[in-house]
Amino acid sequence: MLNRRHIRIKVMQSIFAMHQNGSDNLEKEEKFLFYSIDNILDLYLLMFSMLIELSKKEAQFIEQSKAKHLATVEDKNANMKFVDNAVFKILSHNHSLLQAIENRKINNWTLNDDYILLLLKAIKKSDLYANYMRNRTNTFVDDQEFIVAIFMEVIAPNEKLYDYLEDYKLTWVDDIPVVNTQIIKQLKALKSIDDTSFYVPKLYKDAEDKDFATDLFRKTILNETDLAKEFINKTPNWDTERIAEIDTIILKMAICEFLKFPSVPVKVTINEYLEIAKEYSTPKSSIFINGILDNLVKEFQANDRLKKTGRGLMQ
């Protein structure tokens, strides 16, 4: 689920938090880093469980309407197309998903069903829902396209849902786009009502990615003073105290990758941290950081300090 850029962002945020807290407890802060990363899986499961709960809640509403003393013909003959959506059925019967939800005790929507009702209301007010419910026939493609569209256009942009997620766990703010992208990718990959290929993905692509997170955090923290010396005298037009703290962390992490991660290509490191700077720092940061890193690479190459091997040799 996680790519290297998001791992870098998590490490950067953990180092920033460590600075803000004035902490020097490496073990404690590393535990927080991996706690933050691990919680991404909870967010993923929470969003998928929300889709299941939407179907359940609508089914309950229809049954209650049928049981009313003065139930109308429309109540008794409700259109079940939404409830019977094939994607809902796949998710609600998928062992991998249900087991993960149970194991990690994801029960937010049971305790906060008002958000499910809020989302249901927003869905029913949408043109997507009106167009989908015009007939009572379900084809798998129609069902799939409807759920993907509803997720992208109604659920994901919902401000009240976003506020709830942010309030529930602050570390999720930067994880929401990653999780939503993964969910949309998996929804689009479903092939039929009988598709059993759906699975809960691993957080890391492989053990190497988890090791990368550990090594990048430790090597940057343990070598901060030396890493800062590499660029501190190479910013003649910038007062050191005026450089944004996020920028100094980004520079230290990038330099750490140059010198201590032989398998990571230089271009990959530069491109990744420039994109992170554009998103998390000041408007001019990426230009500033690019200039510093470009000069440092030339210097390291001239002094034979870039010891790249394997994939890291790619320039």
Side-chain angles (χ1 to χ4, degrees), residues 36-52:
S36 172
I37 292 175
D38 188 60
N39 277 326
I40 296 172
L41 183 57
D42 286 348
L43 175 60
Y44 167 89
L45 294 171
L46 187 66
M47 296 299 281
F48 263 124
S49 69
M50 176 262 296
L51 290 175
I52 295 172

Side-chain angles (χ1 to χ4, degrees), residues 149-164:
I150 284 295
F151 189 88
M152 293 175 66
E153 298 180 32
V154 179
I155 296 172
N158 188 280
E159 291 184 5
K160 290 184 179 179
L161 175 62
Y162 183 90
D163 289 343
Y164 169 76

Side-chain angles (χ1 to χ4, degrees), residues 8 38 115 119 132 146 172 187 191 238-239 270 289:
R8 289 177 172 97
D38 188 60
Y115 284 94
L119 289 170
Y132 177 71
F146 170 71
W172 279 350
L187 290 175
K191 303 298 182 187
W238 291 76
D239 183 339
I270 292 176
I289 289 170

Side-chain angles (χ1 to χ4, degrees), residues 69-88:
H69 178 62
L70 297 175
T72 65
V73 173
E74 186 178 344
D75 289 332
K76 294 178 179 179
N77 191 35
N79 186 345
M80 300 295 289
K81 187 173 183 179
F82 180 83
V83 172
D84 290 337
N85 184 285
V87 175
F88 287 148

Side-chain angles (χ1 to χ4, degrees), residues 10-25:
K10 285 294 185 183
V11 171
M12 177 194 72
Q13 291 173 333
S14 294
I15 294 173
F16 181 78
M18 196 171 179
H19 287 181
Q20 294 297 301
N21 298 332
S23 172
D24 60 358
N25 189 328

Side-chain angles (χ1 to χ4, degrees), residues 1-3 5-7 9-10 40-41 43-44 47 151 172-186 201 203 279-280:
M1 184 187 298
L2 290 182
N3 54 40
R5 182 177 300 170
H6 203 64
I7 290 173
I9 289 169
K10 285 294 185 183
I40 296 172
L41 183 57
L43 175 60
Y44 167 89
M47 296 299 281
F151 189 88
W172 279 350
V173 172
D174 296 292
D175 304 329
I176 293 171
V178 173
V179 168
N180 286 348
T181 298
Q182 177 67 31
I183 288 173
I184 292 167
K185 177 182 175 182
Q186 288 190 270
L203 264 177
E279 186 172 354
Y280 289 92

Side-chain angles (χ1 to χ4, degrees), residues 56-307:
K56 286 183 179 179
K57 187 62 71 175
E58 180 63 5
Q60 289 173 7
F61 172 76
I62 290 173
E63 287 304 310
Q64 289 168 358
S65 297
K66 287 181 179 179
K68 288 189 303 187
H69 178 62
L70 297 175
T72 65
V73 173
E74 186 178 344
D75 289 332
K76 294 178 179 179
N77 191 35
N79 186 345
M80 300 295 289
K81 187 173 183 179
F82 180 83
V83 172
D84 290 337
N85 184 285
V87 175
F88 287 148
K89 290 188 179 299
I90 290 172
L91 298 179
S92 62
H93 292 89
N94 183 268
H95 179 73
S96 172
L97 180 59
L98 298 180
Q99 191 66 56
I101 290 171
E102 181 180 348
N103 290 346
R104 296 182 74 94
K105 298 178 172 60
I106 306 298
N107 61 355
N108 299 55
W109 307 128
T110 303
L111 302 174
N112 300 280
D113 69 342
D114 50 323
Y115 284 94
I116 298 299
L117 294 173
L118 181 152
L119 289 170
L120 262 178
K121 184 177 180 181
I123 289 170
K124 289 183 174 182
K125 285 175 61 177
S126 70
D127 291 338
L128 288 168
Y129 180 84
N131 292 332
Y132 177 71
M133 298 294 286
R134 277 182 179 150
N135 60 57
R136 294 176 179 244
T137 59
N138 290 66
T139 69
F140 181 80
V141 173
D142 287 344
D143 284 357
Q144 182 183 43
E145 289 179 350
F146 170 71
I147 295 299
V148 170
I150 284 295
F151 189 88
M152 293 175 66
E153 298 180 32
V154 179
I155 296 172
N158 188 280
E159 291 184 5
K160 290 184 179 179
L161 175 62
Y162 183 90
D163 289 343
Y164 169 76
L165 296 174
E166 182 181 13
D167 290 343
Y168 188 78
K169 203 153 287 182
L170 186 59
T171 58
W172 279 350
V173 172
D174 296 292
D175 304 329
I176 293 171
V178 173
V179 168
N180 286 348
T181 298
Q182 177 67 31
I183 288 173
I184 292 167
K185 177 182 175 182
Q186 288 190 270
L187 290 175
K188 288 182 175 180
L190 295 172
K191 303 298 182 187
S192 71
I193 185 65
D194 300 316
D195 194 337
T196 58
S197 65
F198 181 92
Y199 65 95
V200 175
K202 295 179 180 178
L203 264 177
Y204 303 94
K205 182 179 67 176
D206 50 37
E208 189 177 322
D209 273 3
K210 186 172 184 178
D211 290 342
F212 175 76
T214 302
D215 292 344
L216 183 59
F217 180 74
R218 290 180 182 176
K219 289 179 180 180
T220 302
I221 290 293
L222 294 173
N223 296 281
E224 277 201 276
T225 301
D226 290 337
L227 293 169
K229 288 178 182 177
E230 299 288 354
F231 67 86
I232 213 70
N233 296 320
K234 295 179 177 64
T235 56
N237 298 322
W238 291 76
D239 183 339
T240 302
E241 294 181 357
R242 287 178 54 237
I243 302 175
E245 185 168 5
I246 286 291
D247 290 357
T248 66
I249 294 172
I250 288 174
L251 284 167
K252 289 171 189 175
M253 290 173 65
I255 296 166
C256 184
E257 285 192 30
F258 287 159
L259 301 177
K260 300 180 183 297
F261 288 77
S263 66
V264 181
V266 168
K267 281 187 177 180
V268 169
T269 294
I270 292 176
N271 290 339
E272 288 288 88
Y273 286 109
L274 290 183
E275 290 302 315
I276 292 172
K278 288 176 186 177
E279 186 172 354
Y280 289 92
S281 197
T282 66
K284 294 182 179 179
S285 289
S286 61
I287 298 172
F288 166 70
I289 289 170
N290 187 42
I292 296 296
L293 295 182
D294 189 52
N295 288 333
L296 283 174
V297 168
K298 292 174 183 175
E299 179 183 309
F300 292 157
Q301 288 173 332
N303 296 329
D304 196 29
R305 294 180 65 192
L306 285 180
K307 306 295 183 182

